[in-house]
Each structure stands twice: as structure tokens, then as C-alpha cells.
Amino acid sequence: LGVNNAPHYHQSLHEYLASWGYVVMIPDTREISFLDTNYNGRNTAIANKTFDRAVAGELGVDIDAGRLAFGGYSVGGSMAALAAGLEPRTRCLAMWAPSPAFWQGIDPNTVLPDVTCPSLFLLAEFDIVVG
């Protein structure tokens, strides 16, 4: 999720993906706080913990552990890349309109070089923030 996004903001996308057989898991991320010097680190850790729990079968859904991906929108797209960099079992990364941010608690220069999975960037043609 992006900054201060709620899961229901993208519910139609999640339902569409589910209709094709995808299992969509949305981590319970924290609201933005510039006073939290570990904001992005904390949300990335939550995403990685959700990934771990999915692989371990703790979420009550049968999944193929060899076909797991991270994805996200806006700052959430960028944080999905950070999470993928910390999780070598990631098989794919999808980022729609990934945007830059003030990274608190995680260093993109350290983590992003470890993203080795195929990555899809979904960018709008006239998006002046991402483009």
C-alpha cells in the first residue's frame, strides 16, 4: 500500500486478481509519521513477515511457495521493491506508479541491488511524479 492507503482503496483490483486465482495478501501497514524514524523499515518488515507467514502456511490459504510476488502502489510500490530485496524467495515484483519518498529506517542503496527477480513497472504516460 502507499502512504496512508487503506486496503479497501484497491479492493476492486484485489478482487479482480482473486477472480483469476491469485491469493492477495495486504499487510497491515502503519500510517505515515515523519516522527517515526523507522517508518519505511517497519512497513517493509511487516510485508516480509506476511510473506514468511504465507510461505509457512500460517494464513489459512494454500499457496505455491515458488510463485510468490510483491506488489504495491505509489510509495507502496517502492516499498514492495525494498521488501523483495530483503526476500530472496521472491519470484516477481510488480510496482504501479512507484514513487520516491523520504526513506526512514531502510537504505534503498543497500537493499535494491538485491532485487534479482523479474520486475514490472506500471507507469502512466503523463505522470509527472513517477515518470
Side-chain angles (χ1 to χ4, degrees), residues 2-129:
V3 172
N4 289 343
N5 274 258
H8 66 272
Y9 292 178
H10 305 282
Q11 184 173 341
S12 60
L13 172 63
H14 302 151
E15 289 176 357
Y16 180 75
L17 290 169
S19 77
W20 283 90
Y22 292 94
V23 175
V24 179
M25 297 177 204
I26 299 101
D28 183 19
T29 56
R30 305 297 181 243
E31 292 185 16
I32 186 73
S33 170
F34 293 110
L35 299 176
D36 181 355
T37 59
N38 192 26
Y39 173 75
N40 300 103
R42 199 177 315 279
N43 281 337
T44 301
I46 291 168
N48 286 109
K49 179 65 175 175
T50 301
F51 189 103
D52 264 347
R53 293 185 67 209
V55 171
E58 296 176 9
L59 300 178
V61 179
D62 288 328
I63 60 164
D64 181 346
R67 299 177 73 186
L68 291 173
F70 279 104
Y73 164 73
S74 186
V75 171
S78 302
M79 280 197 284
L82 297 172
L86 294 169
E87 179 49 72
R89 297 172 292 180
T90 305
R91 296 295 174 246
C92 181
L93 172 62
M95 298 163 284
W96 46 102
S99 62
F102 295 98
W103 300 111
Q104 297 173 293
I106 191 164
D107 180 5
N109 297 315
T110 301
V111 177
L112 292 179
D114 292 331
V115 176
T116 58
C117 61
S119 302
L120 174 65
F121 292 80
L122 302 167
L123 308 172
E125 181 178 0
F126 297 110
D127 185 335
I128 60 171
V129 174

